[in-house]
Amino acid sequence: MAGYPPNPGSGYPYGGAGGAPPSSQPYGAPYGAPPPSSAPYGAPGGYGSPFASLVPSAFPPGTDPNVVACFQAADRDGSGMIDDKELQSALSGYSQSFSLRTVHLLMYLFTNTNVRKIGPKEFTSVFYSLQNWRSIFERFDRDQSGKIDATELRDALLSLGYSVSPTVLDLLVSKFDKTGGKNKAIEYDNFIECCLTVKGLTEKFKEKDTAFSGSATFTYEAFMLTVLPFLIA
């Protein structure tokens, strides 16, 4: 699958605008860029319910007809929305196999809700982002083993604009290695889950770190609403 060259980072201490399709593309903001101004979790002005209803959407102008056809094939009832299992099936048609947990994280990150439904606009963003991440995974899987080790993961995250400490890197590899840390390497499905987790937590942190200082203050409620969606996906 074709990928996109990473954009240079913004110099932000824990995540720039790297690794994304150009912002002129119709399918969403750069990976790692500051979040849009719309309120988080689908609620105006603060941390509302993560189960807020998803607003109906449409395909962005210029969407690849193959993407439209893929969504329509998955949307068997013609409702304009597809659920988690339908999304999993749709993505599997492109030589990709994703666990439901990864699918749930994709749906959460691209809709800001836990309703586990996704519309045409969000599906388009997911589709093109996965193309980009596949390209990045293959670029840093230098030995073509189908896995990337800790050093390759560090470089891949840097290309996406995220600089994590060695301690955090070790935790990520241990978490997303299917062997429980024995191989110290992660496969593509888990790489996507890892990227979604780092991306999502970083963007939620940046919402509070308005000065880009690397520090932020959270209320207990805001902290729980930030972290729990990634634990229960």
Side-chain angles (χ1 to χ4, degrees), residues 25-233:
Q25 295 292 338
Y27 40 82
Y31 190 112
S37 58
S38 57
Y41 302 105
Y47 286 82
S49 170
F51 297 97
S53 297
L54 182 64
V55 177
S57 65
F59 289 104
T63 300
D64 186 332
N66 290 325
V67 176
V68 177
C70 183
F71 179 88
Q72 291 174 342
D75 181 19
R76 297 184 182 92
D77 61 1
S79 65
M81 297 278 183
I82 58 176
D83 63 21
D84 51 355
K85 292 182 179 178
E86 289 171 331
L87 178 59
Q88 184 185 40
S89 176
L91 295 177
S92 297
Y94 284 81
S95 302
Q96 303 177 113
S97 178
F98 296 104
S99 68
L100 272 178
R101 172 173 168 77
T102 301
V103 169
H104 291 161
L105 280 173
L106 281 166
M107 299 181 94
Y108 172 68
L109 262 295
F110 283 89
T111 66
N112 273 334
T113 77
N114 272 324
V115 296
R116 295 181 179 171
K117 294 277 187 178
I118 197 167
K121 178 182 177 181
E122 298 79 21
F123 177 81
T124 305
S125 296
V126 167
F127 189 93
Y128 284 118
S129 293
L130 286 173
Q131 280 192 323
N132 185 42
W133 297 332
R134 166 65 87 175
S135 176
I136 289 171
F137 180 86
E138 291 176 349
R139 175 151 55 97
F140 288 99
D141 179 20
R142 299 184 179 96
D143 59 2
Q144 303 299 303
S145 65
K147 302 174 184 176
I148 57 175
D149 61 23
T151 299
E152 293 167 333
L153 177 61
R154 179 201 64 200
D155 293 344
L157 290 174
L158 279 172
S159 80
L160 293 169
Y162 300 112
S163 177
V164 299
S165 69
T167 301
V168 172
L169 186 67
D170 286 344
L171 287 171
L172 291 172
V173 173
S174 296
K175 165 64 178 174
F176 295 107
D177 176 5
K178 290 181 178 178
T179 65
K182 294 178 182 178
N183 289 341
K184 297 189 180 301
I186 62 176
E187 299 177 16
Y188 176 64
D189 177 24
N190 295 79
F191 171 73
I192 295 299
E193 188 177 333
C194 175
C195 287
L196 289 170
T197 301
V198 173
K199 166 185 163 65
L201 288 174
T202 299
E203 289 186 350
K204 296 304 179 186
F205 187 90
K206 287 165 70 175
E207 289 176 4
K208 295 294 185 180
D209 180 17
T210 55
F212 287 4
S213 65
S215 299
T217 301
F218 286 73
T219 66
Y220 179 67
E221 178 76 2
F223 173 77
M224 295 295 281
L225 286 172
T226 297
V227 174
L228 281 176
F230 296 92
L231 299 179
I232 64 175

Side-chain angles (χ1 to χ4, degrees), residues 1-41:
M1 300 173 71
Y4 299 85
N7 296 334
S10 66
Y12 194 66
Y14 42 80
S23 59
S24 60
Q25 295 292 338
Y27 40 82
Y31 190 112
S37 58
S38 57
Y41 302 105

